[in-house]
Amino acid sequence: MRMDMDSIDASAWAWVPPRKTVDWRGNRVTEKEGMALKHLFDDLQNYFGQPDGEPNVTLTISRLHQEDDDETYGDRITNNNNNANAASTMWRGNLDFTFMMNHRKRNTSQKLHYMAMDVCLDLNPKKELNFGGHDMSDYCRTWMYAYAPRYTVETFLRYFEAGTGLKASSNGLILDEERKIVHFEPKLLTEAQSEPGFWIADEDDDDQFTRIGTIHEASQDPSNQFLFRCIGIFAVTAEVVSIPSRTHGDNANANANNAEEEARLTFTLVNVRTLGIVNNIAPVVYNPRHCTICNASTNPEWWE
């Protein structure tokens, strides 16, 4: 059961003073931040889909900043608001995740820009539907296909709505009702120093992992061209479109509570820890929008 933070005695929680810095994968971070990064990336704690209950984490959205509306989102939002003449404005913000942990026999919390989820990632090469069926050059380089249990995704969306006051849109989330699996397409970091790493469990110790390269490098090796069950580490961005009569102040969570406003979530994969190859889930592509002759269609509104 998810912990009710309102019922906890505030005196039981304490912030570890960020006085000391430590090295974490070549980066200098505060001691408490390093502890939280290890907690998430290395110890694989508090991830969505974990077998021993829901993660002890809360989430908020950073200040929403205004951007010009994009062509893939504006028409749909304008029509949903029944105001065809109103110009819509896009607001974008990153999600922050506050993890509750135990440090030096005291309960503490730390905010990170990442969260972890139990997912399956498809490293099989993908073909275009025309031009001779050649490989999609950007697959496993800038994006890839991911699959997660319906319950896991719905749990994350419930946490998002509770933490931000925004309704989560199903745009980009495709539900297979028969197998209760949700398909989505995470982005991949492309900067040389931050490309998502692909880690495999050691044969002699399942709790230890070895990095074999980036996701793109791993996908080029035929021995890795499978569907893997993984703990994926993601950064998440929310995009909200509103008409001029609505505003978003410094506290996005307090002001973005209009039921008509939906947030489209974008998942960016930053790290992968594999748990093994999945043989009993056949990848299904419902909306291959990256194919040359395919166009994106409206996704079913299954999340309510």
Side-chain angles (χ1 to χ4, degrees):
M1 179 180 296
R2 185 185 179 190
M3 183 178 294
D4 182 6
M5 299 305 299
D6 294 330
S7 65
I8 296 178
D9 182 0
S11 63
W13 294 88
W15 289 85
V16 178
R19 301 170 182 171
K20 180 181 177 182
T21 62
V22 296
D23 181 82
W24 189 80
R25 298 188 183 179
N27 299 294
R28 299 302 297 180
V29 298
T30 65
E31 182 182 18
K32 190 156 69 75
E33 185 178 3
M35 176 187 68
L37 290 168
K38 181 179 183 297
H39 176 85
L40 183 67
F41 281 76
D42 299 332
D43 299 337
L44 304 179
Q45 300 294 307
N46 275 333
Y47 64 87
F48 288 91
Q50 61 188 17
D52 55 346
E54 296 184 355
N56 194 1
V57 59
T58 59
L59 63 88
T60 54
I61 187 170
S62 302
R63 177 185 172 90
L64 291 172
H65 56 277
Q66 183 176 337
E67 296 189 3
D68 293 335
D69 194 7
D70 63 38
E71 61 182 1
T72 63
Y73 208 31
D75 292 340
R76 184 172 67 85
I77 294 295
T78 299
N79 292 335
N80 283 350
N81 283 300
N82 298 318
N83 189 345
N85 295 322
S88 56
T89 301
M90 174 174 288
W91 303 76
R92 180 175 285 115
N94 299 319
L95 297 191
D96 293 322
F97 302 88
T98 301
F99 293 88
M100 310 302 172
M101 302 165 294
N102 186 278
H103 181 63
R104 296 175 180 173
K105 298 181 180 181
R106 298 187 67 181
N107 293 322
T108 186
S109 60
Q110 174 63 39
K111 182 182 294 184
L112 297 175
H113 299 305
Y114 313 105
M115 66 86 180
M117 182 183 294
D118 180 10
V119 297
C120 290
L121 298 175
D122 189 356
L123 268 66
N124 288 292
K126 295 294 176 283
K127 303 287 187 180
E128 289 277 6
L129 296 185
N130 58 2
F131 301 118
H134 61 73
D135 289 341
M136 294 183 184
S137 60
D138 289 337
Y139 190 71
C140 285
R141 183 185 295 274
T142 62
W143 68 280
M144 67 187 309
Y145 288 125
Y147 307 85
R150 175 176 183 170
Y151 174 78
T152 299
V153 175
E154 288 182 345
T155 299
F156 176 79
L157 297 180
R158 174 162 50 84
Y159 272 51
F160 171 79
E161 293 186 354
T164 67
L166 287 165
K167 176 178 173 57
S169 169
S170 66
N171 187 278
L173 302 173
I174 312 298
L175 173 66
D176 180 341
E177 294 188 5
E178 181 177 347
R179 294 181 297 176
K180 302 186 185 308
I181 292 174
V182 176
H183 150 246
F184 62 103
E185 300 174 13
K187 294 182 177 180
L188 303 179
L189 296 174
T190 57
E191 293 82 2
Q193 299 300 319
S194 58
E195 287 187 85
F198 191 81
W199 298 66
I200 59 173
D202 293 349
E203 293 184 1
D204 298 330
D205 188 350
D206 292 341
D207 293 330
Q208 298 296 318
F209 295 82
T210 300
R211 189 181 189 275
I212 63 173
T214 66
I215 288 180
H216 181 257
E217 290 169 344
S219 70
Q220 302 305 297
D221 185 344
S223 65
N224 295 322
Q225 293 175 353
F226 296 98
L227 187 68
F228 287 89
R229 184 184 175 192
C230 312
I231 303 300
I233 312 293
F234 297 89
V236 187
T237 300
E239 295 175 333
V240 185
V241 174
S242 62
I243 59 177
S245 60
R246 306 195 187 110
T247 59
H248 297 79
D250 290 344
N251 186 347
N253 302 310
N255 291 288
N257 57 6
N258 191 297
E260 293 183 353
E261 290 182 333
E262 289 187 344
R264 180 179 63 178
L265 302 178
T266 299
F267 297 84
T268 300
L269 187 61
V270 300
N271 200 272
V272 173
R273 299 298 179 98
T274 66
L275 303 178
I277 296 173
V278 178
N279 295 318
N280 60 346
I281 299 179
V284 176
V285 178
Y286 291 88
N287 183 14
R289 60 186 175 85
H290 294 276
C291 295
T292 305
I293 64 174
C294 296
N295 295 318
S297 59
T298 301
N299 296 330
E301 294 294 331
W302 58 271
W303 169 257
E304 297 179 357

